[in-house]
Amino acid sequence: MLIGMGSDLCDVRRIEAVLTRHGPRFVQRVFTAHEQAAAERRQGLARLGTYAKRWAAKEACAKALGTGFAHGVFQRDIGVENLPGGQPVIRLAGGALARLEKLRPAGCEARIFLTMTDEHPYAFAQVMIMAEKTGAA
């Protein structure tokens, strides 16, 4: 059962302007250490696209949670990582994880699906949160 869905379109140039203006302060406030490492391994537009896609994924996830960045949900509570094969996944912590637990129906496991892409000057992400019954049917 679908319990939340969100999407976000981000202008990479906006992220570039914020990075230029606020630099490490912005990066440390918004992105997890894992996300920072992933972006900083890249150069130029690839680096900017990495940050922009993760920004869009955080926004999309906050929308899917139904809170935006309010009610104890912060940007660093939503982390984007990649599985060994490259598939992006969302890792929740803090207020975002607490919100997910409130959304999850009893007897169900919550699964978060993420897709994201970038084509300069835009980055896009979409998040779906599904509840699946656990145990024997």
Side-chain angles (χ1 to χ4, degrees):
M1 134 183 27
L2 180 65
I3 58 175
M5 185 170 157
S7 63
D8 190 69
L9 180 66
C10 174
D11 190 325
V12 176
R13 297 167 296 195
R14 180 172 163 241
I15 298 300
E16 181 178 27
V18 174
L19 285 169
T20 299
R21 186 171 187 191
H22 299 288
R25 191 176 73 190
F26 167 72
V27 169
Q28 291 169 4
R29 182 175 57 84
V30 172
F31 299 99
T32 66
H34 188 86
E35 291 170 318
Q36 292 173 42
E40 295 303 324
R41 284 193 298 267
R42 294 171 172 82
Q43 300 294 316
L45 290 179
R47 176 178 167 268
L48 293 173
T50 298
Y51 278 126
K53 283 187 288 192
R54 280 150 181 77
W55 173 272
K58 291 168 184 287
E59 291 279 346
C61 187
K63 292 171 185 175
L65 290 169
T67 59
F69 292 111
H71 308 286
V73 175
F74 299 97
Q75 290 147 329
R76 283 184 55 99
D77 290 344
I78 302 168
V80 177
E81 298 178 11
N82 293 87
L83 297 177
Q87 178 185 357
V89 294
I90 296 271
R91 304 274 189 227
L92 299 182
L97 182 58
R99 175 64 181 169
L100 179 65
E101 288 303 312
K102 286 181 184 176
L103 290 175
R104 183 180 55 82
C108 291
E109 177 183 337
R111 294 191 58 207
I112 302 173
F113 297 90
L114 166 65
T115 187
M116 54 187 189
T117 189
D118 66 304
E119 181 68 38
H120 192 75
Y122 299 107
F124 174 79
Q126 185 169 20
V127 171
M128 292 176 46
I129 303 173
M130 304 291 293
E132 298 176 344
K133 291 196 183 286
T134 57

